[in-house]
Amino acid sequence: MRKIGVLTSGGDAPGMNAAIRAVVRRGITLGAEVLGVRHGYAGLIAGDFVPLETASVGDIIQRGGTFLQSARSERFKTPEGQREGFEKARAAGLDGLVVIGGDGSFRGAIRLTELGLPCIGVPGTIDNDIWGTDRTIGFDTAVNTCLDAIRKIRDTASSHDRVFVLEVMGRSSGWIALAAGLAGGAESIMLPERPLTIEEVALRVKRGMERGKRHSLIIVAEGVGSGFDVGREIQKRTGYDTRVTVLGHIQRGGAPTAADAMLASRMGAKAAELLLEGKGGLFVGEVNNELVAQPLENVLGKRKGIPAELLDLAEILAT
Ligand code: ADP
Ligand code: F6P
């Protein structure tokens, strides 16, 4: 392989730029030319390519978002769209492609590999919901953003003896809620992996306040439902003044933490190495601090659970 491409797809995540930079610089040191594909698979179909040199990725390692931009392409989910993307890649002379994104993006990478364009996946999503890797790029930064919000909310909550509901992201996964709740000492964490009923949460709030707590913080993963619905029900059942904050896309932005920038740099470089060794149909994961390459197919239909031990700990400490 001599010419490789790189794209970012799905929801952006802090650290994606660091991953692109690593693909480009490692690819070039291994003698390859690197083309960036703008706007994910939509850009692949449109043939929206940009040559990337060592200097093109200067000064981006600490920038949030993705300078190649990302997209969600319905067209690419169809066989015709995939064929169009494949033809454009071939016409541009691409021998392989690094796909940085979540499991939806990995499905697209499998299709392209089947069509004859070897792809390597790099897990980039704040949700940390990809099977086969202990961490995904962007998760640590998103959790730290939540933690910053928790500290600020606690200040105002305890000044007014209030209950606060903080809704955090995670399309169908409670990883962000669990990590932020555990690290931030939340009183209740509502997440899809171990649902708590409104009655249980209301009981916890009442018990805590009666014991002398000056506030109660409830973290709600978006996969469980709306933070506003939870807030309304809690106020109704406890009588405590309750406020709701939905953190939203603030969690997707910002400079990557050191942990994310390191992870992205290691994974991006590894992806370029794998492609240039002639491999394809794989993704890079981090398992027990080591990078491992596994078949993209392994991810399909699998859910990355949260270890029971962590769920138990969160419950024990949040009394
Ligand atoms: P993520 O990669 O973060 O999970 P999405 O699920 O939105 O994000 O997927 C990103 C893009 O990947 C989609 O817009 C689509 O172009 C492509 N994609 C998703 N699912 C498939 C699929 N089953 N086959 C081919 N491409 C897919
Ligand atoms: O998958 C990452 C994520 O941020 C989820 O946590 C969230 O549900 C979703 O993307 C939001 O996506 P959109 O870009 O469509 O607002």
Side-chain angles (χ1 to χ4, degrees), residues 87-251:
E87 298 296 350
K88 286 282 169 38
R90 270 294 143 96
L94 286 186
D95 300 310
L97 179 68
V98 175
V99 172
I100 305 168
D103 57 349
S105 305
F106 282 10
R107 286 173 195 271
I110 292 173
R111 298 281 92 79
L112 285 173
T113 304
E114 284 166 356
L115 285 168
L117 180 71
C119 290
I120 301 289
V122 170
T125 164
I126 63 166
D127 291 352
N128 199 31
D129 61 347
I130 300 184
W131 183 91
T133 186
D134 294 344
R135 297 184 291 155
T136 59
I137 296 166
F139 171 63
D140 186 65
T141 309
V143 170
N144 277 289
T145 299
C146 295
L147 207 48
D148 183 48
I150 288 173
R151 293 183 190 120
K152 290 171 177 159
I153 284 171
R154 181 167 287 126
D155 288 347
T156 174
S158 54
S159 301
H160 290 266
D161 296 296
R162 274 179 176 155
V163 177
F164 258 86
V165 174
L166 178 67
E167 183 192 306
V168 302
M169 275 186 164
R171 196 162 26 190
S172 52
S173 154
W175 270 104
I176 295 177
L178 179 92
L182 195 49
E187 275 68 26
S188 306
I189 308 171
M190 299 178 76
L191 68 181
E193 287 81 356
R194 187 177 287 178
L196 275 177
T197 63
I198 284 285
E199 287 76 20
E200 284 171 299
V201 176
L203 200 66
R204 279 163 179 262
V205 169
K206 279 201 238 163
R207 269 204 319 250
M209 296 302 242
E210 280 158 18
R211 275 204 336 260
K213 284 196 182 224
R214 292 195 293 165
H215 66 269
S216 194
L217 178 62
I218 304 162
I219 309 276
V220 179
E222 67 169 335
V224 162
S226 153
F228 286 104
D229 292 343
V230 172
R232 205 174 309 112
E233 287 302 313
I234 292 296
Q235 172 140 353
K236 202 164 80 190
R237 283 158 206 258
T238 65
Y240 289 108
D241 206 12
T242 303
R243 295 289 188 272
V244 179
T245 299
V246 177
L247 262 194
H249 290 77
I250 286 173
Q251 294 159 95

Side-chain angles (χ1 to χ4, degrees), residues 66-87:
T66 158
F67 88 105
L68 286 176
Q69 298 188 268
S70 191
R72 293 201 169 95
S73 166
E74 282 307 310
R75 173 110 189 118
F76 192 76
K77 288 188 182 169
T78 66
E80 300 75 39
Q82 291 153 19
R83 167 64 58 184
E84 280 170 27
F86 171 72
E87 298 296 350

Side-chain angles (χ1 to χ4, degrees), residues 4 23 98 120-122 266-276 284:
I4 63 172
V23 171
V98 175
I120 301 289
V122 170
R266 290 168 60 222
M267 285 181 160
K270 180 76 177 175
E273 286 164 14
L274 289 166
L275 264 190
L276 292 163
V284 181

